[in-house]
Amino acid sequence: MYNFAFHRPTGLRQASNMLGKLEEAKILAGGQTLIPTMKLRLASPGNVVDLNAIADELSGIELKGRSIVIGAMTRHADVANSDVVKQHLPALAYLAGLVGDPAVRHRGTIGGSLANNDPNADYPAAALGLGATIHTTKGKYEADNFFKGLFETALGADEIITKVSFPLAKKAGYEKFRNQASRFALVGVFVSKRGSEIRVAVTGAGSNGVFRVASFEEALKKRFAPKSLEGLTIPATGMNSDIHGSAEYRAHLVGVMARRAVTRANEFAAGEGED
Amino acid sequence: MPKVSMTVNGNAVTADADARTLLVQYLREGLRLTGTHVGCDTSQCGACVVHVDGKAVKACTMFAWEAEGKTVLTIEGLAQNGKLHPMQEAFRENHGLQCGFCTPGMIMTAVDMVNRKGHDLDDPTIRHELEGNICRCTGYHNIVKSIAAGAKAMA
Amino acid sequence: MSATGIGAAVRRKEDFRFITGKGQYTDDISRPGQTYIHFVRSPHAHAKIKSIDGTETKTMPGVVAVLTGADLANDKIGNLICGWAITSKDGSPMKMSAHPAIANGKANHVGDAVAVVIAETLGQAKDAGEKVKVDYEVLPAVADPAKAQAAGAPQIHDVAPNNTIYQWHLGDQKAVEAAFKSANHVTKLDIINNRLVPNAIEPRAAIADYDAGNDALTLWNTSQNPHVARLVIAAFVGMAPEHKLRVIAPDVGGGFGSKIFIYPEEVVCLWAARKVGRPVKWVSDRSEAFVTDAHGRDHVTHAEMAFDHEGKITALRAKTIANLGAYMSTFSSSVPTYLYATLLSGQYSIPQIYCEVDAVYTNTVPVDAYRGAGRPEATFVVERLVEVGAREMGVDPADLRRRNFIKSFPHQTPVIMAYDAGDYNASLKKAMELADMKGFGKRKRDSARNGKLRGIGYSTYIEACGIAPSQAVGSLGAGVGLWESAEVRVNPTGSVEVLTGSHSHGQGHETTFAQLVSERLGIPIETISIVHGDTDKVQFGMGTYGSRSGAVGMTAIVKALDKVEAKAKKVAAFMLEAAEGDIEFKDGKFTVAGTDKAAAWGDVALNAYIAHKFTGAELEPGLKEGAFYDPTNFTFPAGCHICEVEIDPETGNTDVVAWTAVDDFGVVINPMIVEGQVHGGIAQGVGQALYEGTVYDKEGQLVTGSYMDYAMPRADYLPSFKVDTTETKCPSNPLGIKGCGEAGAIAAPAAVINAITDALGTEEIAMPASPATVWAALQKVQPRQAAE
């Protein structure tokens, strides 16, 4: 990897200032994507701004009214193991437990994952699938306006995610079909039902990153059951196609994973927990 | 070159490390603790797993300076007072290794697994928990057996 | 059986250092003043190198030297070679191209080295490497072996028109054609045996050190056969005379074939160390390994099997195109010929076999032996043909196999091999019981109720191991003999060091070889050390591959032990004042027949060295003997593997839900280690069948260049395995050993694909049978229903 200068700000404002002033600056949160990318010389930031010195300030999981608020530097393992999350939003704990592997989950952070917006990552599906609000040093974004395509988000260059607020859903479920090599999502579908609002968010499949499936949401409004989705498909246009699966295959898997996610959501709601 | 200090296997250590020095390089080259291995460059094989502040991490996916002031445990620090750790014993007793290259990472992952999941580990749990460790020799059969036995022995 | 002798599940002596992090792999070794080398590699599959400019590179921090293929040629460093000469059917020799360690003039695959940078640190070498300016003229490339010979295909080497290295054949073509004409049924298959990347978890590495005072070079590297490396680097590359070159292969983290070969990197490290006068270290990145380690398999085959009206196989024919990549690697030519076509008889009595093999160059990484080497490809052809033939003829696949098994030995096949011993029905029967074949119907119906498709598949494989009788392989083109050496050194205190030409990189020789010595000499296993992997310690040896270390390497030790025992008896005779012929040796004790006079092993050893009981005229002091053992035949491990799969038709995902292996390895030295070898082999075979696909695009770019795209078998992709053995002793070596290292990898792919096709009801499935592939296949067929 190329050499660089690292900086360890002790406050958020200092961190933002550094990002604004330093050339080619990148945030280091958990580093589980950034460091491999730098090792392969695919990223070459001249400056790395490490948020770990202010990790305490940016970490934590809290039930606030009808939402769970998670600090940006909270590690995947902490979300997966959180009693609060397991009790109120088991689908989110379940999803966090599927990111990477145990060692990666000890380092990787929710803020880092959302800011990176890898088209095969799990967290974007949860954020979009629950209608989360992403809070930053400059304001906040609804998930629907946050993800802007492959590795692109609404974040400005000197903007840092501080926390993510997930509204509690009556029912929520996630189902992931892995790419057998990378173990990222080949297709992952997050479904939720909150009052009359139904969300179906898909990661891994789309050639432009995470997206919602309106036709599935519409069908689930009638009855939140896998049967409601039977026979429904989405077009293969706009799906990724590569050595791991054709666009047709991915489009098909979206339907399969959506039905299974609904089943899982109903199981979670019935208190049957994860499998 | 800047100095980085931490506690490794119970000893306070300091060694040179420029910004791009990974924790695994620091351990191997700076401290000559060569038991922690590097088997890939995409953070997938797990040969480099060590514990930082008691949790398993991939030492190839952490800069040395990120561990400044932290407590690191490597495979070399697992045996205490000349007595093998029960997980080390279990790998030997159950033929959980062949070439030995992935073994330190496997053992460090296994100990972390027990720390988090307890002493009664069934096969599916162990296999799922090994998702970040690749072995090319054993077909995992005896690694799974070793970890189940080691977990019990750690109780 | 003693607790540490032959047949005991002795815990491994080598494990302590590995479980405590004290192993010494090549990358763990550092030399004072060492420099780091970085290889600048071609990003293009095929390109003319118009110029290389290292001017800016030389000004970069820490740079010691920048070297190119032209420098290598100027220093008269020779090319790498392929050591097995294959003759085409028209009598012409194979078309071996020049293979310089650094490309000079033209790069022929992505990853071909074009320059090197040597610097004080690895980071500096890599930084500087990016400043090497290479002016390429990109040429059209060909990666697909099926397209390499086509008119108009890009030509890779002038020496090989149509990219054809050889067109080889084996067997009686006319007799085979006649048999097919009179066949009652013919089964035909088109098969692609997918290209694999070996992926030993320890990446290759090398450190070279030059001793200017003695003009001598030392190389530490990740080798399965350090002596062969030294021989090739001395005799063909011309780096240094053999006695001025020491090669040390310390702990090696897995090989699976990929660390047999002599690679450019170790040659360049040696050359550069002498040039810069400092040690030079290279450690492959995983990404680098994907584009430089020799790959495996990559066959395109059309095969046919003829049956008579009783379901007896009357003939087999196969036409294979074998991809050898951009250059001929060390043993590449032998893999798709003598290690492949000679096994096409499988476990069956097949009167006539004919096989044609075209080996081709492509703009891909060189291809050479990978676990099984040719034999997995042969087994896949035979076992798929038999299974599909049974289905087409409506015969139970086990029954069809039984009808055709070879039942009397020795058996001469039409493709060179003379099988010496086996009982194929015994392993099939035992495997069927262990796999609970009777309960399969119920399990299939249970799966169907859960919306899953269940299938079961056999693979009754055979392999030729114990490689190999030197004269025989010499007559087939091998450039070396394939014997093995051993030296047994008894110390004055009675402890024993055994020097072997075999090399252990996971196989556990330090334990199994010591078990043999413990059993023979009746001494504690703790008093025995096995020494290997250093050309300064072991005089010569052929290394470890082809499941040969037990059958060949241990037999060499037996022969040396015979000599040690004979000499020790002489010493004992002087000590006990008895006739040599009256001395008996048992359980570590020398006795005089018919008396109570005895001498312990340690006393005899001491007396051999103090030499007080005999004069120099009567007996030479010391107790050290060596032996070379050249096998009289290949060995023929065989067995039956049964794979049971469950497929999710909605996703196409295949789960291997049960695996049964019953293997006949002859006499087993350490059942624990043998089972471990079987487990690992199965995992690699399942990997080939389900997960591991190597994909090159049309431009010759390796699409699957990391673990992000190349799926390795993981713990949760595999079940636990049921492993058992049957035993027919191998008659060609005194221990009765056949070898076990490759069996799983040879047997497994056919078993998996037979199971999947059983479940799906179509034979059209490519390896790896990924979820996407299975799902696509399912869109075209109606799966076989569970029998009620």
Side-chain angles (χ1 to χ4, degrees):
Chain A
M1 112 180 41
Y2 302 93
N3 220 343
F4 57 89
F6 69 87
H7 311 272
R8 314 196 77 180
T10 50
L12 251 184
R13 180 167 302 170
Q14 191 191 5
S16 297
N17 286 342
M18 284 176 170
L19 284 173
K21 285 184 188 142
L22 295 167
E23 279 187 30
E24 307 168 273
K26 275 266 188 195
I27 299 176
L28 177 71
Q32 302 302 288
T33 299
L34 179 64
I35 295 174
T37 315
M38 289 170 71
K39 280 200 291 189
L40 296 172
R41 297 189 171 227
L42 299 172
S44 50
N47 291 283
V48 168
V49 179
D50 176 27
L51 298 185
N52 283 281
I54 44 173
D56 287 350
E57 184 186 334
L58 290 174
S59 300
I61 298 167
E62 223 185 326
L63 183 66
K64 271 196 175 167
R66 296 296 299 155
S67 290
I68 287 179
V69 181
I70 301 177
M73 285 294 285
T74 308
R75 318 281 169 178
H76 306 319
D78 294 327
V79 177
N81 295 323
S82 157
D83 289 334
V84 172
V85 181
K86 281 200 267 192
Q87 189 188 337
H88 297 282
L89 212 42
L92 186 63
Y94 174 75
L95 173 143
L98 296 177
V99 181
D101 58 57
V104 166
R105 292 194 285 274
H106 281 146
R107 296 291 302 162
T109 67
I110 186 169
S113 175
L114 291 173
N116 189 49
N117 192 21
D118 186 305
N120 301 99
D122 299 295
Y123 264 124
L128 193 60
L130 284 164
T133 304
I134 292 125
H135 298 260
T136 75
T137 43
K138 299 213 164 154
K140 59 183 180 179
Y141 301 92
E142 296 310 315
D144 286 314
N145 304 319
F146 181 75
F147 302 106
K148 299 286 183 191
L150 304 181
F151 301 102
E152 296 285 336
T153 66
L155 289 171
D158 58 346
E159 195 170 4
I160 301 168
I161 299 177
T162 54
K163 61 189 177 185
V164 188
S165 172
F166 293 95
L168 299 187
K170 188 166 173 239
K171 291 179 175 183
Y174 181 61
E175 198 68 30
K176 172 178 182 174
F177 192 78
R178 283 193 168 92
N179 170 323
Q180 292 181 320
S182 70
R183 293 176 71 94
F184 275 79
L186 190 70
V187 172
V189 180
F190 199 103
V191 298
S192 75
K193 174 181 166 62
R194 183 162 54 100
S196 61
E197 187 179 348
I198 305 279
R199 283 174 172 261
V200 176
V202 178
T203 188
S207 53
N208 205 28
V210 65
F211 65 95
R212 288 174 68 179
V213 186
S215 60
F216 286 16
E217 292 174 355
E218 206 53 44
L220 288 168
K221 271 182 189 159
K222 294 176 192 108
R223 190 166 157 248
F224 195 78
K227 258 196 177 329
S228 307
L229 297 176
E230 257 173 36
L232 289 186
T233 55
I234 64 167
T237 44
M239 296 296 112
N240 276 328
S241 186
D242 58 24
I243 58 165
H244 304 291
S246 63
E248 291 71 26
Y249 179 58
R250 281 185 166 85
H252 163 79
L253 279 182
V254 169
V256 177
M257 292 299 119
R259 290 196 296 277
R260 292 182 183 182
V262 171
T263 301
R264 193 177 290 280
N266 285 331
E267 285 168 5
F268 280 138
E272 288 167 21
E274 62 186 81
D275 59 9
Chain B
M1 208 181 284
K3 301 267 184 212
V4 175
S5 304
M6 61 189 83
T7 301
V8 177
N9 300 333
N11 303 313
V13 296
T14 299
D16 291 333
D18 66 8
R20 60 178 160 177
T21 303
L22 298 165
L23 178 58
V24 70
Q25 290 172 301
Y26 178 88
L27 295 170
R28 288 180 54 81
E29 294 163 22
L31 306 180
R32 300 301 301 151
L33 291 171
T34 56
T36 303
H37 297 151
V38 178
C40 78
D41 43 20
T42 49
S43 308
Q44 286 168 299
C45 81
C48 66
V49 169
V50 300
H51 296 183
V52 174
D53 286 349
K55 289 176 177 174
V57 303
K58 291 186 162 169
C60 75
T61 314
M62 190 168 170
F63 294 115
W65 52 265
E66 286 187 272
E68 174 76 39
K70 294 192 186 296
T71 300
V72 177
L73 180 68
T74 74
I75 188 70
E76 289 93 341
L78 209 52
Q80 289 294 319
N81 307 317
K83 195 177 177 302
L84 289 178
H85 186 280
M87 193 58 79
Q88 292 173 311
E89 285 281 13
F91 269 71
R92 179 164 67 178
E93 184 57 27
N94 293 284
H95 190 31
L97 62 146
Q98 291 182 23
C99 81
F101 195 80
C102 76
T103 310
M106 286 286 177
I107 291 175
M108 297 310 286
T109 297
V111 172
D112 177 72
M113 191 188 306
V114 178
N115 290 344
R116 290 181 292 106
K117 297 270 172 181
H119 300 279
D120 194 13
L121 300 174
D122 62 15
D123 274 20
T125 302
I126 296 170
R127 286 180 183 276
H128 177 69
E129 285 283 325
L130 286 178
E131 62 183 330
N133 293 76
I134 298 175
C135 169
R136 194 54 152 169
C137 293
T138 65
Y140 304 100
H141 181 111
N142 285 339
I143 291 177
V144 174
K145 221 165 115 184
S146 302
I147 294 173
K152 285 205 170 67
M154 281 169 67
Chain C
M1 178 173 86
S2 80
T4 59
I6 290 171
V10 180
R11 299 305 182 259
R12 299 202 319 172
K13 285 161 64 81
E14 48 270 80
D15 282 359
F16 182 81
R17 66 179 187 270
F18 296 131
I19 58 180
T20 53
K22 301 293 185 193
Q24 278 287 297
Y25 301 90
T26 301
D27 186 22
D28 300 341
I29 296 164
S30 285
R31 302 293 298 165
Q34 74 190 12
T35 61
Y36 296 82
I37 191 166
H38 171 68
F39 287 78
V40 178
R41 300 186 180 281
S42 171
H44 307 293
H46 199 195
K48 235 181 237 165
I49 303 165
K50 290 162 73 181
S51 66
I52 300 178
D53 180 359
T55 319
E56 190 187 348
T57 314
K58 286 176 185 158
T59 67
M60 294 284 287
V63 170
V64 176
V66 182
L67 302 169
T68 65
D71 298 321
L72 194 79
N74 283 341
D75 286 355
K76 306 217 166 3
I77 300 299
N79 290 320
L80 295 162
I81 51 120
C82 174
W84 195 305
I86 297 294
T87 305
S88 283
K89 50 195 166 193
D90 66 2
S92 63
M94 66 183 189
K95 310 291 191 293
M96 180 164 66
S97 78
H99 183 187
I102 303 175
N104 194 7
K106 190 156 82 83
N108 291 310
H109 67 88
V110 171
D112 210 353
V114 297
V116 294
V117 178
I118 297 148
E120 299 293 339
T121 72
L122 182 59
Q124 289 172 335
K126 287 187 175 183
D127 290 347
E130 296 201 341
K131 304 293 181 190
V132 175
K133 291 193 180 74
V134 186
D135 187 8
Y136 292 104
E137 179 191 332
V138 178
L139 302 170
V142 60
D144 181 351
K147 292 180 180 152
Q149 295 170 296
Q155 296 296 294
I156 299 168
H157 300 292
D158 293 340
V159 69
N162 303 316
N163 297 318
T164 304
I165 298 167
Y166 54 72
Q167 294 185 297
W168 175 87
H169 69 161
L170 183 65
D172 186 336
Q173 185 176 17
K174 279 190 183 140
V176 165
E177 276 173 12
F180 269 89
K181 274 194 189 117
S182 58
N184 184 59
H185 179 84
V186 174
T187 294
K188 301 179 181 182
L189 283 176
D190 286 302
I191 290 168
I192 291 178
N193 203 289
N194 45 323
R195 176 186 272 249
L196 302 174
V197 183
N199 275 308
I201 300 301
E202 180 208 22
R204 286 191 298 117
I207 311 177
D209 200 347
Y210 178 60
D211 170 1
N214 293 299
D215 191 23
L217 282 158
T218 303
L219 172 73
W220 289 261
N221 75 332
T222 48
S223 174
Q224 299 178 217
N225 46 348
H227 292 87
V228 177
R230 183 178 67 159
L231 174 63
V232 170
I233 293 170
F236 294 92
V237 179
M239 186 66 62
E242 236 175 328
H243 65 292
K244 293 286 190 184
L245 175 60
R246 178 183 185 185
V247 178
I248 303 170
D251 285 331
V252 173
F256 317 110
S258 68
K259 292 171 182 169
I260 298 171
F261 321 120
I262 291 77
Y263 284 97
E265 290 82 7
E266 54 230 39
V267 168
V268 173
C269 283
L270 283 164
W271 169 62
R274 188 156 53 196
K275 240 177 148 55
V276 304
R278 289 171 63 184
V280 174
K281 182 170 185 174
W282 172 75
V283 180
S284 177
D285 292 333
R286 180 58 58 190
S287 317
E288 200 173 11
F290 268 94
V291 293
T292 62
D293 290 1
H295 293 177
R297 318 280 192 257
D298 209 348
H299 285 194
V300 178
T301 297
H302 177 78
E304 302 183 358
M305 188 174 263
F307 298 89
D308 69 12
H309 63 283
E310 290 173 334
K312 289 262 198 187
I313 305 165
T314 55
L316 181 155
R317 64 185 168 203
K319 170 81 204 271
T320 294
I321 301 170
N323 190 354
L324 297 193
Y327 303 102
M328 293 186 73
S329 177
T330 317
F331 291 109
S332 58
S333 55
S334 65
V335 177
T337 49
Y338 291 110
L339 294 177
Y340 165 67
T342 53
L343 273 302
L344 285 173
S345 197
Q347 298 186 350
Y348 313 109
S349 179
I350 305 180
Q352 298 298 341
I353 295 172
Y354 180 66
C355 180
E356 290 176 284
V357 179
D358 286 8
V360 298
Y361 285 117
T362 59
N363 296 111
T364 63
V365 177
V367 178
D368 206 325
Y370 167 65
R371 202 171 195 169
R375 291 151 291 169
E377 295 91 316
T379 299
F380 195 79
V381 168
V382 176
E383 288 304 295
R384 285 290 292 138
L385 282 170
V386 169
E387 191 84 19
V388 174
R391 288 171 189 165
E392 287 173 350
M393 294 186 290
V395 182
D396 174 70
D399 187 43
L400 188 70
R401 284 177 168 85
R402 274 191 293 262
R403 273 186 226 177
N404 287 284
F405 278 156
I406 294 161
K407 294 178 187 80
S408 68
F409 297 89
H411 174 89
Q412 178 62 53
T413 72
V415 277
I416 299 178
M417 293 298 175
Y419 299 172
D420 51 9
D423 185 347
Y424 308 138
N425 202 29
S427 47
L428 174 66
K429 184 163 178 279
K430 197 168 185 180
M432 289 178 75
E433 285 163 13
L434 285 174
D436 183 24
M437 288 303 296
K438 289 196 179 115
F440 176 71
K442 181 182 181 303
R443 297 195 294 278
K444 189 170 171 76
R445 289 191 294 277
D446 289 345
S447 292
R449 267 193 289 281
N450 293 319
K452 301 284 175 63
L453 307 171
R454 206 175 186 96
I456 199 156
Y458 299 89
S459 178
T460 51
Y461 73 96
I462 193 162
E463 48 176 330
C465 297
I467 293 172
S470 299
Q471 197 178 51
V473 296
S475 74
L476 304 178
V480 290
L482 289 171
W483 43 265
E484 196 45 86
S485 77
E487 184 175 310
V488 175
R489 295 179 178 172
V490 181
N491 296 318
T493 56
S495 66
V496 173
E497 285 153 56
V498 177
L499 284 69
T500 170
S502 300
H503 187 277
S504 188
H505 30 278
Q507 295 88 343
H509 295 171
E510 288 170 52
T511 305
T512 49
F513 289 13
Q515 284 179 253
L516 165 64
V517 177
S518 172
E519 170 120 356
R520 271 294 301 268
L521 300 181
I523 59 174
I525 199 163
E526 297 76 28
T527 64
I528 303 157
S529 292
I530 307 299
V531 178
H532 63 81
D534 183 343
T535 59
D536 263 15
K537 292 181 180 168
V538 179
Q539 184 243 333
F540 207 92
M542 297 309 298
T544 287
Y545 41 82
S547 306
R548 68 191 303 272
S549 299
V552 189
M554 287 181 87
T555 303
I557 298 173
V558 169
K559 290 188 60 158
L561 286 168
D562 288 345
K563 294 182 189 175
V564 163
E565 186 180 321
K567 173 80 180 286
K569 279 181 172 169
K570 286 192 169 75
V571 176
F574 282 106
M575 288 168 66
L576 301 170
E577 297 173 331
E580 189 191 327
D582 291 338
I583 303 290
E584 290 172 353
F585 179 59
K586 205 182 162 214
D587 297 333
K589 214 163 75 174
F590 295 85
T591 53
V592 180
T595 75
D596 59 358
K597 288 203 281 186
W601 168 257
D603 293 335
V604 174
L606 185 64
N607 270 281
Y609 286 93
I610 59 174
H612 293 168
K613 301 284 186 190
F614 48 86
T615 67
E618 287 168 321
L619 187 66
E620 196 179 308
L623 194 51
K624 180 192 88 167
E625 299 289 345
F628 289 77
Y629 170 68
D630 200 346
T632 55
N633 192 0
F634 290 84
T635 65
F636 297 96
C640 174
H641 287 220
I642 299 178
C643 168
E644 195 163 324
V645 299
E646 195 177 62
I647 295 168
D648 177 350
E650 283 197 313
T651 62
N653 188 60
T654 300
D655 275 330
V656 176
V657 291
W659 197 282
T660 308
V662 176
D663 300 290
D664 177 358
F665 297 135
V667 172
V668 167
I669 305 294
N670 183 325
M672 177 190 81
I673 287 175
V674 166
E675 283 180 20
Q677 290 293 309
V678 175
H679 298 156
I682 295 168
Q684 283 176 331
V686 172
Q688 168 162 29
L690 290 182
Y691 301 106
E692 300 178 41
T694 309
V695 180
Y696 277 96
D697 70 12
K698 273 186 274 188
E699 283 74 42
Q701 291 291 332
L702 180 62
V703 180
T704 50
S706 82
Y707 293 152
M708 295 300 282
D709 290 301
Y710 188 91
M712 291 285 281
R714 310 265 185 142
D716 58 353
Y717 295 167
L718 296 166
S720 288
F721 312 111
K722 273 186 243 172
V723 174
D724 210 331
T725 54
T726 55
E727 182 185 303
T728 60
K729 285 191 174 59
C730 175
S732 69
N733 65 66
L735 292 167
I737 295 177
K738 294 184 181 179
C740 64
E742 297 159 293
I746 290 168
V752 175
I753 297 301
N754 284 340
I756 291 177
T757 51
D758 176 51
L760 297 183
T762 172
E763 306 301 344
E764 304 284 321
I765 195 92
M767 294 194 289
S770 69
T773 300
V774 170
W775 180 79
L778 269 170
Q779 304 317 299
K780 296 180 197 157
V781 293
Q782 190 60 38
R784 286 198 182 104
Q785 296 303 311
E788 289 302 326

